[in-house]
Amino acid sequence: MRSIERYLLAWVAGTLSLGLVVVALVGYIVTLEEMNEVFDADLKNVAGAMASHRNSGYGPDINDTAQPPVKTEPLHDTDIVTLIWTIQGRQLYTSNSDVSVPFSGVAGLSRPRINDLEWIVYTVVQEDVVAQAAQPVASRHDMAGESAAKVLPPMLLLVLVASALMVFALRRGLRSLYAAARGVAARRARTLDPISTAECRHEWRNLVK
């Protein structure tokens, strides 16, 4: 016969575990949305700064026909690849030549696929120069996942503590039922003495009268 205590505990543990998964998922989604807002603003600021830097006379010369410098440094999660183009689409500068960010003459955000990965690119178009700042989408997902994972240990501890409290509460609450059950089981078929209901809960008091 299935135990009431185990049945209730299974439902409580399942509910708490489901709540843990939901909290982690919501935390991941909320963190990713916030990161998207922050990093999109960063891309816009970086691209704008690159364009302003070029126009201030410190950037690459628009008349320079030399090839842009080759840089192949490995990318980190927060790295941003920057590029400067002429308005006609000739590349003047790139911070990492391993990332072939496509030229775009349309200002704003875009999501091209580069080397089989999705990237987010912000493009600033000025009179004679186009500046771009790019970042892989996967890096944002990784950072959001790491942030959400930090919530799991305390939430898991909370589930364990809540489960332990529920075990204690259920066993304490069902103690009188177990005592009544033992009393009924110990009686003989012809015993007519009443069973004490002093410690019985209201829900099953009528069962033992």
Side-chain angles (χ1 to χ4, degrees), residues 36-189:
N36 282 333
E37 292 180 3
V38 171
F39 284 122
D40 286 350
D42 286 345
L43 291 179
K44 180 179 179 180
N45 293 334
V46 170
M50 291 291 294
S52 299
H53 183 69
R54 212 291 311 172
N55 286 330
S56 67
Y58 295 100
D61 187 357
I62 195 171
N63 296 316
D64 187 5
T65 59
Q67 293 295 320
V70 176
K71 296 185 178 181
T72 58
E73 298 178 0
L75 288 174
H76 301 288
D77 287 342
T78 56
D79 283 354
I80 295 176
V81 177
T82 55
L83 305 97
I84 297 179
W85 311 76
T86 65
I87 200 69
Q88 292 80 20
R90 181 168 59 86
Q91 190 178 95
L92 300 175
Y93 168 81
T94 178
S95 63
N96 194 315
S97 58
D98 283 344
V99 182
S100 303
V101 178
F103 171 79
S104 174
V106 180
L109 286 171
S110 60
R111 286 186 172 234
R113 292 195 66 83
I114 303 171
N115 299 334
D116 293 328
L117 296 175
E118 186 178 14
W119 284 64
I120 297 179
V121 181
Y122 195 94
T123 303
V124 172
V125 180
Q126 295 188 353
E127 183 178 353
D128 60 347
V129 69
V130 174
Q132 291 179 307
Q135 186 180 48
V137 174
S139 65
R140 300 187 182 188
H141 288 279
D142 291 342
M143 286 184 284
E146 292 174 1
S147 178
K150 293 179 181 179
V151 181
L152 289 179
M155 290 299 300
L156 181 59
L157 179 61
L158 178 61
V159 168
L160 294 176
V161 171
S163 298
L165 291 175
M166 287 301 302
V167 170
F168 175 78
L170 282 173
R171 288 182 176 176
R172 187 176 180 86
L174 295 174
R175 184 184 301 170
S176 61
L177 177 61
Y178 293 153
R182 288 193 298 268
V184 172
R187 293 169 67 88
R188 295 182 179 178

